[in-house]
Amino acid sequence: RPHIITMTRKAGYTYEVDLPADVIKEGMLRYFISVKEKDKVHTFPSGVEDKPGDWDFASSDAYEIRVLPKNSSVYLFDVVQNAKGIMRNWLPSSKIVPMADPSKQELYIPLEKLYEADNENHNASAIHDYTLRYSFGHKLDGRLSEMLNTKNLVFKGRALHSKSEKIQIALVTRGGSAFGNEITIDSVLQDYTITLTNLKRVPLVTLPRPYPSFLPYYFKNDLVTDGLDLRDVEGIQISIGPGLKTDELSQPHHIAIESVRLE
């Protein structure tokens, strides 16, 4: 049965309300916001001139919040939800592929080579690296306490060929530092875990790449010397290149990514 809860004006056009505990249950919390002005009521998100509870209220649009059990995994990146927000260099062969589970997708990263000569900077040192980054920032507001109770960084994905692949997974802080480590993945789609205490300072790639291209590939932050603090984390960085042997740098590297989470 629907609940009608009156919001309180704080200042200007800002209103707020504390939801009663009995309406916060595991599942999808659906809600509307109705605004009364003079003798008219408009209900959002659709903006119809009507309100829930009226016999002729026909809008099916609603805001939704996912209510999860306590101590659920904290997803930092998921292809289905977050693929459009990825920062990376354009790769024409990359694509999103549906999986047998209709709620899951994979991001294919098929790299034929890690380095291409820069025609505008012939004297540049060769950097064998391909990195993508996703900034989750405010999307995890309200889950900080759960993040602080996690112990592992978990990557879910696979190598697209029979040979294993080495990749680096890193957490990015607001101060421009990255803390990560390498993992080796094989052709089986599964979870690959890094204990948070094993994360170390790693280079942060400047994304999106600046122009002109002689500008630094890596962002250096020598002012921050402290270790990882999950309260400062706002992004995830996935790199192909770090940890590879010399003979592996010139080889193709094909991986698929499904998600990254803390647990």
Side-chain angles (χ1 to χ4, degrees):
R1 301 176 69 87
H3 293 255
I4 299 176
I5 305 171
T6 302
M7 304 185 76
T8 302
R9 180 174 179 269
K10 303 304 294 182
Y13 293 100
T14 301
Y15 290 74
E16 68 177 26
V17 64
D18 290 329
L19 298 181
D22 62 343
V23 304
I24 308 297
K25 299 178 180 179
E26 181 181 341
M28 299 299 295
L29 174 65
R30 303 180 74 252
Y31 66 96
F32 301 91
I33 296 179
S34 296
V35 179
K36 183 177 182 180
E37 187 177 22
K38 297 182 180 178
D39 58 345
K40 293 184 179 181
V41 176
H42 288 88
T43 297
F44 300 90
S46 62
V48 297
E49 191 174 324
D50 213 342
K51 66 179 186 296
D54 290 349
W55 69 271
D56 56 350
F57 182 74
S59 177
S60 59
D61 293 333
Y63 299 105
E64 288 189 340
I65 294 178
R66 299 165 64 227
V67 181
L68 303 173
K70 190 176 182 180
N71 299 323
S72 296
S73 298
V74 180
Y75 276 79
L76 308 179
F77 173 76
D78 177 79
V79 171
V80 175
Q81 300 292 328
N82 311 130
K84 292 183 179 180
I86 295 174
M87 289 183 287
R88 57 176 173 146
N89 286 346
W90 182 66
L91 186 65
S93 55
S94 179
K95 59 183 177 180
I96 295 175
V97 179
M99 301 172 65
D101 182 341
S103 66
K104 301 293 184 182
Q105 295 176 347
E106 288 181 309
L107 173 63
Y108 279 17
I109 306 290
L111 283 169
E112 296 307 318
K113 52 185 176 180
L114 283 173
Y115 169 73
E116 290 189 9
D118 186 350
N119 293 327
E120 297 184 8
N121 190 10
H122 296 287
N123 297 321
S125 300
I127 298 177
H128 295 81
D129 181 88
Y130 184 83
T131 291
L132 58 87
R133 187 162 70 244
Y134 176 73
S135 297
F136 41 79
H138 68 282
K139 294 185 178 181
L140 293 184
D141 285 350
R143 303 205 67 189
L144 178 59
S145 61
E146 293 167 87
M147 288 180 64
L148 296 177
N149 288 327
T150 59
K151 297 180 179 180
N152 299 307
L153 180 63
V154 183
F155 170 89
K156 189 170 186 179
R158 62 189 176 103
L160 288 174
H161 295 315
S162 56
K163 71 182 185 76
S164 61
E165 296 281 5
K166 179 175 286 188
I167 62 175
Q168 183 188 85
I169 313 295
L171 298 176
V172 179
T173 69
R174 295 184 181 91
S177 298
F179 296 85
N181 213 325
E182 289 87 40
I183 57 173
T184 299
I185 62 177
D186 57 33
S187 58
V188 178
L189 177 64
Q190 60 183 325
D191 291 338
Y192 298 88
T193 301
I194 306 173
T195 304
L196 292 178
T197 54
N198 288 334
L199 297 181
K200 57 187 179 182
R201 182 71 67 89
V202 297
L204 176 68
V205 176
T206 307
L207 288 174
R209 291 292 303 129
Y211 186 85
S213 57
F214 64 77
L215 292 169
Y217 187 85
Y218 296 107
F219 173 75
K220 293 184 178 181
N221 184 0
D222 298 327
L223 299 178
V224 178
T225 58
D226 296 336
L228 174 65
D229 187 340
L230 288 179
R231 291 172 293 187
D232 293 331
V233 171
E234 69 170 10
I236 187 79
Q237 176 176 281
I238 302 174
S239 301
I240 304 173
L244 294 180
K245 298 178 181 178
T246 302
D247 62 328
E248 296 174 324
L249 295 176
S250 58
Q251 297 177 5
H253 298 279
H254 295 193
I255 69 169
I257 303 168
E258 183 184 316
S259 63
V260 181
R261 68 183 189 271
L262 290 170
E263 64 177 24

